[in-house]
Amino acid sequence: RLRWREPEMPRPYRLRHGTLAGSLAVAISFGFLLLYLPLSPSALVWPHEWAIVLGWIGLGIAAFAIGKRIYPSIDRAEQERIIFGRFARELEK
């Protein structure tokens, strides 16, 4: 997506066959999803293990909501400073 939105952005790391790697990552993730669905060979035990999964999902949603409340609208430079700290200046080079 960034290749189209920001074609002039410096890209210090290039991955050969990046589309293949991305496609394999999606396929493997989908395979893991199918592996843990009910009635599959290693299905999660209801309700205990599924409660743990849903709890982690809930924590992720809560963290996202809290982050949006704390930082409602910040620009890209500020996001980079928050995420990368003092290394943000090195990324601009």
Side-chain angles (χ1 to χ4, degrees):
R1 184 172 181 185
L2 280 175
R3 297 254 179 236
W4 293 301
R5 286 187 150 192
E6 299 188 34
E8 301 302 320
M9 176 186 257
R11 291 167 177 39
Y13 180 78
R14 295 192 58 87
L15 177 67
R16 263 191 270 167
H17 310 296
T19 304
L20 175 64
S23 300
L24 283 174
V26 169
I28 291 170
S29 298
F30 186 70
F32 277 121
L33 177 69
L34 291 177
L35 185 66
Y36 293 115
L37 287 176
L39 304 176
S40 65
S42 60
L44 297 177
V45 177
W46 181 261
H48 307 295
E49 292 176 347
W50 278 103
I52 293 170
V53 170
L54 295 175
W56 278 110
I57 291 171
L59 283 173
I61 292 170
F64 178 78
I66 291 169
K68 280 298 212 183
R69 184 171 293 164
I70 292 173
Y71 305 106
S73 61
I74 56 176
D75 63 350
R76 183 179 175 104
E78 183 67 14
Q79 286 177 351
E80 289 177 357
R81 189 192 63 75
I82 291 169
I83 293 171
F84 299 112
R86 64 187 175 104
F87 299 109
R89 288 188 299 264
E90 294 175 15
L91 292 174
E92 293 174 358
K93 295 178 182 178

